């Protein structure tokens, strides 16, 4: 009766919550306002979470109707069959993502600041209003259409963190084109591979990037890439700097072309399950996967997580310092904040330019309320004097966030106590490119709920974590560890791998049928909280960026003197993990090992990116293999981490003496590197 008096919900919702006691229903959590939807007004986190997993149709349907602006209402909330990777949400509905991120806010608050572009040089920030961003987006959209880019066409965006890059993403969304943003640090070969995989019709780039006081040429990288990409018809080139760049027959000066276009562009109505973007991420095989996200479910999930994980309120300045080339930039620099009508920061620089106080000077100058960054940067900054933090006013901060990898205790304590003065909730967020948004984090939660340092803790609405044992059975109870799976679909999850649905099913749904397999291991504490324990496959996490070891091995194996390699991840004080390469060379007395290693470094930088270059190269005569020919990376990891006292079972090795050889080679390598220091 109490629920009925609030006029809050349907019979389904009532049935889902009948077991609640009056006292628990009365214990409201003010952090969950503004309301998810009027139907769910005033509910506590525990009630909402239980409803979201027991009656997802009512939960998500209610929110989607109110939170998104629809051209045509959806007539079915979901149609999912997780075993086959069939995931559909809000079927029959039509909407436009750029309208939800721009037009709806321009109608109400045209002069509200949408973007604060924090340029490389401190104190030179540029503010862009929602009206200005809409006009730029429409001009860019019309430019794309004039040059033959239509609904369904793929467009590669190879740009730094700039307002024009955000407009490019939204322009694609406006006309129904599919964007694939490629991190502007990738090599021409890596860029070409992604363009080829997506069969892109156009590329949007700029002449140069500016970072840490340096100019980075981008156009020559694109030129080299598109030589091998016959599907590319046009390259749109924006000007970040005044430095000239050679223009070819495919090239179109972007600002010049946009100047002659209308500042109005009719948005394309898009079906809920049509593609919004694809983003490549590394897997345990050499070829990056083009992860596909669709329109309505992704946008709703990004907006909802942005609001409730970070306790965002209207008027806040949201500061996520991620690059738009990664999914964090998509969800928490662009789509989540803009859908919520927020002011979002575009951070072009580095944490230490011009000095280690850069982040905190920016917080003071821009009045940032939520600061969301990577543990790698925090570990880098905590090595400097606290005065670099304390000299700046950080009283505007309300929430701190960590993303990309599990944050270690030392970094957590420094971030919370030194940066946040022990007063800002620190949300250690766990999620992936494939999940679309935050899945496990300390917030939202009941009012006053504890936050345990260095732990992701609580599932977001609709996320049902399941720990699995090796044989595929769920592990019940607490104080247990296993493979982290999610038990049912949610709107923000990826729909497929572009052009390869079988790979999608094999990677995520086949290992534990009926569940989404994250590839991570997790520990469920005695209190029932979740802590991520790291990858369970051959993927390493370098400064928060996932990279498949097979991808590095493929690059190394192209060297004519290298018949075989094995790459593993080892821990690093700053980056979290770094690649360690074990390299077998051909038996040729004329080979100069030092020269070959130098060439291998260059090969990885050229084929992938500089950040992918292994920190360590150990030349060995052979690799430890089982009788069936499988490399035992577990042993290599033990050797690299100097844990050879406990190598575990080596009885399955074809020749166990190889282990002694590798340990000896590693000891010599360590001795040599310490001498060189």
């Amino acid at each position: 009766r109490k629920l009925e008096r609030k006029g809050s919900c349907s019979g389904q919702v009532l049935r889902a919550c009948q077991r609640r006691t009056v006292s628990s229903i009365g214990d409201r959590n003010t952090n969950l306002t503004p309301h998810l939807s009027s139907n769910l007004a005033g509910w506590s986190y525990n009630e909402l979470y239980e409803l979201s997993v027991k009656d997802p149709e009512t939960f998500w349907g209610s929110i989607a109707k109110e939170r998104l602006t629809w051209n045509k209402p959806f007539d079915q909330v979901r149609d999912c069959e997780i075993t086959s990777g069939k995931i559909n949400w809000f079927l029959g509905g039509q909407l436009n993502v750029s309208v939800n991120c721009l037009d709806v806010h321009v109608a109400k608050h045209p002069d509200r600041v949408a973007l604060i572009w924090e340029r490389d040089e401190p104190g030179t920030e540029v503010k862009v209003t929602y009206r200005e961003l809409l006009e730029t987006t429409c001009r860019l959209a019309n430019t794309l259409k004039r040059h033959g880019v239509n609904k369904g066409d793929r467009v590669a965006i190879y740009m730094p963190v700039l307002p024009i890059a955000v407009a490019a993403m939204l322009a694609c969304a406006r006309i129904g084109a599919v964007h694939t943003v490629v991190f502007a640090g990738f090599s021409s070969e890596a860029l070409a591979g992604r363009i080829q995989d997506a069969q892109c019709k156009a590329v949007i780039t700029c002449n140069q990037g500016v970072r840490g006081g340096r100019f980075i040429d981008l156009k020559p990288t694109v030129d080299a890439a598109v030589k091998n990409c016959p599907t590319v018809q046009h390259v749109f080139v924006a000007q970040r700097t005044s430095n000239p760049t050679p223009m070819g027959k495919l090239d179109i000066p972007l600002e010049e072309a946009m100047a002659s276009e209308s500042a109005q562009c009719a948005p394309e109505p898009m079906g809920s399950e049509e593609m919004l973007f694809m983003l490549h991420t590394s897997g345990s095989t050499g070829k990056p996967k083009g992860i596909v996200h669709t329109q309505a479910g992704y946008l709703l999930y990004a907006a909802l997580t942005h609001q409730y994980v970070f306790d965002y309120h209207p008027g806040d300045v949201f500061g996520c310092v991620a690059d738009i080339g990664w999914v964090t930039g998509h969800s928490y620099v662009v789509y989540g904040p803009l859908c919520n009508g927020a002011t979002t920061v575009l951070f072009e620089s580095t944490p230490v330019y011009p000095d280690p106080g850069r982040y905190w000077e920016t917080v003071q100058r821009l009045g940032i309320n939520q600061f969301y960054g990577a543990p790698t940067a925090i570990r880098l900054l905590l090595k400097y004097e606290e005065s670099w933090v304390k000299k700046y006013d950080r009283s505007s901060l309300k929430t701190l966030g960590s993303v990309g990898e599990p944050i270690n205790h030392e970094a957590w304590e420094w971030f919370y106590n030194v940066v946040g003065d022990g007063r800002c909730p620190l949300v250690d967020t766990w999620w992936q490119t494939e999940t679309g948004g935050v899945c496990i984090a300390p917030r939202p939660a009941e009012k006053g709920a504890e936050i345990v340092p260095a732990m992701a803790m609580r599932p977001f609405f609709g996320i049902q974590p399941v720990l699995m044992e090796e044989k595929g059975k769920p592990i019940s109870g607490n104080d247990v560890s296993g493979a982290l799976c999610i038990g049912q679909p949610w709107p923000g999850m990826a729909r497929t791998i572009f052009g390869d649905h079988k790979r999608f099913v094999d990677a995520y749904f086949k290992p534990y049928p009926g569940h989404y397999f994250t590839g991570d291991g997790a520990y469920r504490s005695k209190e029932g909280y979740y802590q991520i324990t790291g990858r369970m496959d051959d993927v390493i996490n370098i400064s928060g960026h996932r990279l498949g070891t097979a991808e590095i091995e493929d690059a190394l194996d192209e060297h004519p003197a290298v018949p075989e390699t094995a790459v593993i991840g080892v821990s690093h004080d700053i980056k979290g993990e770094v690649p360690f390469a074990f390299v077998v060379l051909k038996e040729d007395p004329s080979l100069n090992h030092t020269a070959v290693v130098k060439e291998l470094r260059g090969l990885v930088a050229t084929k992938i990116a500089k950040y992918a270059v292994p920190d360590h190269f150990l030349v060995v005569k052979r690799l430890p293999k089982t009788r069936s020919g499988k490399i035992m990376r577990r042993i290599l990891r033990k050797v690299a981490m100097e844990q050879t006292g406990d190598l575990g079972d080596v009885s399955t090795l074809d020749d166990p003496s190889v282990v002694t050889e590798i340990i000896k080679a590693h000891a010599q390598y360590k001795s040599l590197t310490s001498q060189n220091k």
Side-chain angles (χ1 to χ4, degrees):
R1 284 200 301 274
K2 189 164 185 175
L3 285 169
E4 287 171 325
R5 280 202 304 276
K6 289 191 300 186
S8 65
C9 31
S10 66
Q12 286 175 295
V13 179
L14 284 167
R15 287 194 298 275
C17 292
Q18 273 173 344
R19 293 188 309 279
R20 292 288 180 206
T21 64
V22 172
S23 61
S24 70
I25 292 170
D27 182 20
R28 300 300 171 209
N29 179 5
T30 55
N31 285 340
L32 293 176
T33 57
H35 305 316
L36 290 157
S37 79
S38 59
N39 277 353
L40 304 175
W43 287 40
S44 71
Y45 163 77
N46 286 339
E47 291 166 355
L48 287 166
Y49 177 74
E50 185 170 336
L51 176 64
S52 73
V53 294
K54 291 188 175 178
D55 189 0
E57 278 86 358
T58 297
F59 180 84
W60 291 111
S62 170
I63 295 163
K65 282 176 185 173
E66 292 195 26
R67 291 294 292 256
L68 299 180
T69 298
W70 298 88
N71 292 71
K72 177 178 174 290
F74 55 90
D75 45 41
Q76 185 179 354
V77 175
R78 68 170 187 167
D79 178 21
C80 302
E81 204 288 296
I82 200 166
T83 303
S84 62
K86 174 186 171 186
I87 302 139
N88 296 291
W89 286 84
F90 312 120
L91 288 88
Q94 289 187 342
L95 78 172
N96 185 278
V97 165
S98 81
V99 168
N100 278 272
C101 289
L102 298 173
D103 303 56
V104 294
H105 308 305
V106 170
K108 298 173 187 173
H109 314 284
D111 296 320
R112 177 183 290 173
V113 175
L115 310 175
I116 304 178
W117 178 27
E118 175 61 15
R119 288 154 51 105
D120 190 54
E121 210 55 47
T124 62
E125 73 274 7
V126 175
K127 295 182 178 180
V128 181
T129 67
Y130 272 91
R131 179 181 10 226
E132 291 167 338
L133 183 56
L134 175 58
E135 290 180 358
T136 303
T137 296
C138 287
R139 290 185 192 276
L140 211 163
N142 287 327
T143 302
L144 292 175
K145 285 167 68 175
R146 184 172 298 279
H147 290 87
V149 177
N150 300 307
K151 178 179 175 178
D153 290 337
R154 272 82 62 201
V155 176
I157 299 173
Y158 186 75
M159 303 181 94
V161 186
L162 311 174
I164 194 78
V166 175
M169 296 166 72
L170 293 167
C172 289
R174 197 164 191 86
I175 65 174
V178 176
H179 64 69
T180 179
V181 182
V182 181
F183 172 58
F186 276 121
S187 68
S188 61
E189 286 202 29
L191 173 60
R194 285 155 173 78
I195 292 172
Q196 290 162 0
D197 183 61
Q199 297 289 287
C200 293
K201 196 172 189 177
V203 179
I204 305 174
T205 188
C206 54
N207 63 333
Q208 292 181 307
V210 183
R211 198 158 189 266
R214 296 184 301 114
F215 293 131
I216 301 145
D217 289 327
L218 299 179
K219 177 66 165 43
T221 304
V222 175
D223 290 342
V226 297
K227 284 178 183 175
N228 302 308
C229 301
T231 60
V232 174
Q233 297 177 8
H234 301 292
V235 177
F236 298 93
V237 186
Q239 296 294 312
R240 168 60 184 91
T241 69
S242 58
N243 297 327
T245 187
M247 299 289 278
K249 61 181 181 179
L250 297 180
D251 301 335
I252 296 166
L254 184 56
E255 290 92 348
E256 197 177 301
M258 287 169 59
S260 60
E261 296 292 344
S262 167
Q264 294 182 323
C265 176
E268 184 74 27
M270 301 296 291
S272 294
E273 283 301 327
E274 292 189 89
M275 281 177 65
L276 173 61
F277 68 85
M278 55 188 290
L279 191 59
H280 287 83
T281 184
S282 289
S284 53
T285 63
K287 186 184 176 188
K289 302 171 284 195
I291 298 296
V292 170
H293 281 287
T294 53
Q295 308 276 333
Y298 167 79
L299 183 66
L300 181 68
Y301 196 76
L304 212 64
T305 49
H306 168 254
Q307 181 172 343
Y308 291 103
V309 171
F310 302 100
D311 195 23
Y312 163 78
H313 288 77
D316 287 348
V317 176
F318 188 79
C320 173
V321 291
D323 193 286
I324 58 164
W326 311 111
V327 73
T328 306
H330 283 55
S331 297
Y332 301 114
V333 174
V334 182
Y335 288 115
L338 293 180
C339 186
N340 288 333
T343 297
T344 180
V345 175
L346 308 179
F347 187 77
E348 184 181 38
S349 194
T350 78
V352 292
Y353 180 78
D355 57 52
R358 178 59 187 272
Y359 277 165
W360 324 123
E361 187 274 334
T362 303
V363 166
Q364 173 183 291
R365 179 164 35 84
L366 303 186
I368 291 172
N369 302 113
Q370 292 90 7
F371 182 88
Y372 194 31
T376 301
I378 300 306
R379 284 192 294 267
L380 172 66
L381 295 174
L382 68 79
K383 295 188 177 299
Y384 294 92
E385 292 289 330
E386 288 184 10
S387 58
W388 287 111
V389 181
K390 299 290 189 181
K391 68 193 288 190
Y392 298 109
D393 179 3
R394 291 151 286 113
S395 59
S396 62
L397 288 172
K398 297 193 294 186
T399 303
L400 302 173
S402 166
V403 61
E405 59 187 301
I407 187 169
N408 57 305
H409 279 268
E410 184 188 12
W412 194 99
E413 295 289 352
W414 184 87
F415 199 14
Y416 178 73
N417 290 310
V418 178
V419 175
D421 287 326
R423 60 176 183 80
C424 302
L426 200 174
V427 290
D428 173 15
T429 63
W430 175 85
W431 59 295
Q432 305 170 315
T433 302
E434 297 88 341
T435 72
V438 174
C439 287
I440 306 178
R443 295 286 187 266
E446 298 296 341
K447 188 177 181 182
E450 70 173 331
I451 292 180
V452 179
M455 190 179 278
M457 298 186 75
R458 300 178 178 94
F460 192 73
F461 304 127
I463 303 298
Q464 190 177 44
V466 180
L467 298 185
M468 292 286 197
E469 62 177 29
E470 285 185 16
K471 294 179 181 177
K473 290 184 179 178
I475 303 170
S476 59
N478 292 339
D479 195 18
V480 292
S481 296
L484 177 61
C485 297
I486 298 176
Q488 61 186 35
W490 64 99
M493 72 188 300
R495 300 307 195 249
T496 191
I497 291 171
F498 186 72
D500 196 348
H501 192 69
K502 183 180 182 298
R503 186 182 179 193
F504 181 65
V505 173
D506 289 349
Y508 301 109
F509 304 106
K510 206 171 182 180
Y512 300 95
H515 297 78
Y516 167 81
F517 173 47
T518 68
D520 281 331
Y523 165 69
R524 187 163 55 228
S525 72
K526 292 175 182 176
E527 299 79 16
Y529 302 143
Y530 290 89
Q531 182 167 32
I532 310 304
T533 54
R535 296 295 298 177
M536 298 182 72
D537 55 15
D538 294 321
V539 174
I540 55 179
N541 200 322
I542 307 166
S543 300
H545 305 139
R546 279 171 56 185
L547 191 66
T549 54
E551 201 174 341
I552 304 173
E553 290 168 3
D554 284 353
L556 295 174
D557 290 345
E558 289 193 22
H559 194 289
V562 178
E564 198 170 35
T565 59
V567 176
I568 51 117
V570 296
S571 60
H572 186 275
D573 285 348
I574 304 296
K575 300 176 185 176
E577 279 186 296
V578 292
F580 190 121
F582 292 81
V583 180
V584 177
L585 299 182
K586 287 182 178 176
E587 292 186 12
D588 181 349
S590 65
L591 274 182
N592 182 322
H593 289 196
T594 304
V596 171
V597 168
K598 186 177 179 181
E599 289 164 6
L600 290 174
R601 291 182 185 278
L603 202 54
V604 176
T606 302
K607 295 282 181 186
I608 308 172
K610 288 181 180 177
Y611 79 84
V613 177
D615 278 37
H616 306 279
F617 286 87
L618 180 61
V619 176
V620 294
K621 293 179 181 177
R622 51 193 177 142
L623 297 171
K625 294 182 181 178
T626 63
R627 293 174 184 85
S628 63
K630 184 179 179 182
I631 297 169
M632 290 190 73
R633 297 167 193 280
R634 171 179 60 80
I635 289 175
L636 295 177
R637 197 170 284 109
K638 293 272 190 181
V639 172
M641 298 296 290
E642 299 182 64
Q643 297 170 346
T644 52
D646 178 26
L647 288 173
D649 182 20
V650 296
S651 62
T652 56
L653 283 174
D654 184 41
D655 181 0
S657 68
V658 69
V659 179
T660 308
E661 287 178 14
I662 294 172
I663 291 173
K664 185 177 178 182
H666 184 259
Q668 291 172 341
Y669 168 76
K670 289 292 290 183
S671 174
L672 193 62
T673 50
S674 62
Q675 287 173 20
N676 291 338
K677 285 179 183 177

